[in-house]
Amino acid sequence: MPGSIKDKVAIVGMGCTKFGELWDKGPTDLIVDSVNEALTDAGVELKDIQAVWGGTLFSGTGGRTVSEALRLQYVPVTRVENACGSGHEAVRGASYAVAAGIYDICLAIGYEKLKDEGVGGLPGMENRTNTHYQSSMPGVFAMMATRYFHRYGLSPEEGKKMLGKISVKSHKNGAMNPKAHLRREITLEQVLAAPIIAWPLGLFDCCGVSDGGAAAVIVRADMVKKFPNKPVYVKALQISASPTTGRLLTTYDYTHVEEAHRAGIAAYKEAGITDPRKEISMAEVHDCFSITEAVTMEDLQFSPRGKVKEDIEAGTFELTGSLPVQPDGGLKCFGHPIGASGIRMLYEPWLQFQGRAGKRQLKDPKMALAHNMGNEPYAPVVSVCIVGL
Amino acid sequence: MANYNDYLRWRELVPQEAARRPDKQHIRSSANWRERKQLLGLWGIKCRRCGTPQYDNGAATTGPIRICAQCLAQDDFDDYNFVRRKAKVFSYTQDNLAAVIDPPASVVLIEFEGGGRAFFDLTDRDPAKVEVGMPVEMTFRKMQYDRGLTNYFWKARPVR
């Protein structure tokens, strides 16, 4: 019988840089700036940190990238990578080490410097032998939208409208977030008229490709009284890696992400949640593309299968709805510096729980879910992290 | 072919501005040799235990299928060829971000009659006519030239 992380560790301070095209900042700046904010927030100094987990996909290898930037004095640093889910992986490493009783106070950090690459989309992540087919990341998610429309009988216009409303909502939230990359409200008409990136996904169906860093100070739950903030306890950390059989077998429907569904079930069990739609106060999900957010609402049991359209149209996931999703703008608008995203998803709950979310502040949030996904819909690693008071 | 400009572009007779996309990986000749049967002959496997045909051209780790995706049997397969099998489009995209000589990149997930599915480029197509359920067949094409080596692989095309 596996154990549980529930209430064994707590976040006592967090930091996050502004995300965006930060031409004047390198990886070192992203690390130092996010860590400084987290340490100040927690009221601790760098020398108090006993071990560090750093998540990045492209920005440096080894623990040295972090220890060098911070001039850490010979403490253990582990670089973790789980594709776009690297941020949560860093939180897992730090949380488990603290829960195991090895350390009292650890740092989880995620960072990514993407904009030096000079390419559209992500840098090359193909490690196959040869080029077998030429779709981009938007392309493989677009194929999920094609299939979703086909399966549920949506015309391209109906489908694109459903997805467009997701992006309109995220832009509305992102516009209120001073740290977000994309801070303009948009209209559904703009979304539908935007250039196609990979049919049926247009420009506004795709998240921002950004630079950024985020960090969290994680301590043993019995130590929280020593820190000034309201502690935010880790309730669940579950991860599911794909056997990637969905691209080989005709049984996979390509309208859901099995790993998200399973990680969700496991996380709800670990956190003791029986009715996620009612018990979760807010969610930050991995909305790399609008279709990803749509199916994730179904995978995490917020909406019944094939019915997310009804919830989108009812405004369920708006800031004013019963289950706000992406209150900070999500990957869509806050941006997606790969390694930083998983920790950025916890930064918004952190601010919300402290009552520091400004115009985006929700009333009395108690339980927040973050869903961090790496790789394609048929072959991902998906992490679900639940935090609460 | 619609016009002479296409011909010049496809034959690489006029220089093109490079796409702002990551460079393609170099051809790895040892891996090409190791996977020659699957790459050149479009050979997959049929599991002896559960009978499921499988073709794999998208694994993060390259190489032959060792464990059945359906029943998890290990190394208990017969060779199974996909070249002349009929197939239908299960899903598709028209990808404008992918750097290809004939944009958009029409990429399809196809299902073979009798079992098995895989992603392929769709060639000799009119992007406006691609749809779910469209019948396709396989065709052997030049894919990439790199450092004196040429890669060939299979693409799907509308049945004609």
Side-chain angles (χ1 to χ4, degrees), chain A residues 1-17:
Chain A
M1 180 72 187
S4 163
I5 193 71
K6 189 184 177 190
D7 294 329
K8 286 183 180 153
V9 305
I11 300 170
V12 294
M14 286 197 75
C16 185
T17 67

Side-chain angles (χ1 to χ4, degrees), chain B residues 100-153:
Chain B
V100 293
I101 208 157
D102 178 28
S106 300
V107 182
V108 288
L109 178 59
I110 63 170
E111 297 198 334
F112 291 96
E113 211 171 86
R117 93 165 24 153
F119 291 99
F120 290 98
D121 287 341
L122 184 71
T123 193
D124 297 349
R125 85 301 177 218
D126 174 354
K129 290 185 181 158
V130 179
E131 58 184 10
V132 172
M134 187 173 86
V136 295
E137 60 193 13
M138 304 311 295
T139 178
F140 191 63
R141 295 300 170 104
K142 182 176 163 185
M143 298 295 281
Q144 184 186 0
Y145 176 82
D146 170 54
R147 301 187 299 186
L149 296 169
T150 302
N151 257 1
Y152 297 89
F153 187 56

Side-chain angles (χ1 to χ4, degrees), chain A residues 270-333:
Chain A
E270 187 172 27
I273 288 170
T274 51
D275 186 348
R277 189 176 163 117
K278 285 215 171 71
E279 292 173 66
I280 300 287
S281 321
M282 60 155 285
E284 289 286 340
V285 303
H286 199 93
D287 58 328
C288 46
F289 302 97
S290 53
I291 182 66
T292 325
E293 180 170 324
V295 303
T296 301
M297 297 301 97
E298 300 180 8
D299 290 333
L300 295 176
Q301 305 173 48
F302 295 161
S303 303
R305 286 272 174 231
K307 303 278 188 197
V308 70
K309 186 163 174 277
E310 292 172 18
D311 276 317
I312 292 167
E313 280 165 2
T316 307
F317 309 125
E318 308 266 337
L319 210 52
T320 49
S322 60
L323 174 43
V325 173
Q326 326 299 56
D328 67 1
L331 301 182
K332 175 73 206 71
C333 291

